[in-house]
Amino acid sequence: MIALNFFGKKAKFHHIGVVVKSIKDVSPASEIIVDSVQKVHVSLVQLHGIKLEFIEPSGDDSPVIKSLKEGTKLVHICYTVDDIEKAINECRNHGFLCISLPVPSAAFKKNIVWVYSEEYGLFELLEEGK
């Protein structure tokens, strides 16, 4: 098996982001986090050892509305990285586009950034190193 290191050799899988109409309808989780920057509500759960982030749009201007309307449930995969700027530079070398500035995440209390590849889709990078 060949190892792909799009985000640097120390990047680690963190979670899968899934868009839902209503977190309360799909999750027994009691904590729902409001992220006004991302315009979503989120809740984290474990599914057979994998962390899922349920993402609910917080309004009609939420960036996940389009995915929800199209029926696309799995929207992103998240990796932790030590240094977000180095990870952005690394993934650019593999054809990824950085589609946001690094911003604080309400759910994780650390900086995140969104990167996209036509071949691989949307990824969230979560800075763990700082």
Side-chain angles (χ1 to χ4, degrees), residues 18-22 55-59 62-75:
V18 179
V19 174
V20 297
K21 286 181 186 177
S22 169
I55 308 162
E56 174 186 320
S58 63
S62 174
V64 297
I65 283 286
K66 182 179 178 187
S67 295
L68 192 60
K69 288 180 179 178
E70 293 175 349
T72 305
K73 299 293 183 180
L74 260 157
V75 292

Side-chain angles (χ1 to χ4, degrees), residues 70-81:
E70 293 175 349
T72 305
K73 299 293 183 180
L74 260 157
V75 292
H76 73 264
I77 298 173
C78 179
Y79 282 87
T80 59
V81 297

Side-chain angles (χ1 to χ4, degrees), residues 29-115:
S30 59
E31 183 180 15
I32 297 176
I33 300 160
V34 176
D35 189 329
S36 58
V37 173
Q38 302 293 319
K39 300 178 183 175
V40 295
H41 299 145
V42 299
S43 180
L44 300 166
V45 297
Q46 288 279 338
L47 174 65
H48 300 287
I50 300 291
K51 190 181 300 180
L52 293 181
E53 177 184 39
F54 289 129
I55 308 162
E56 174 186 320
S58 63
D60 291 336
D61 61 342
S62 174
V64 297
I65 283 286
K66 182 179 178 187
S67 295
L68 192 60
K69 288 180 179 178
E70 293 175 349
T72 305
K73 299 293 183 180
L74 260 157
V75 292
H76 73 264
I77 298 173
C78 179
Y79 282 87
T80 59
V81 297
D82 286 338
D83 184 310
I84 211 162
E85 294 299 331
K86 285 183 181 178
I88 291 168
N89 289 332
E90 182 69 29
C91 71
R92 282 184 175 144
N93 293 333
H94 297 283
F96 282 79
L97 300 173
C98 184
I99 60 172
S100 74
L101 295 173
V103 295
S105 164
F108 304 110
K109 308 294 187 239
K110 300 196 180 206
N111 283 339
I112 61 167
V113 72
W114 297 96
V115 297

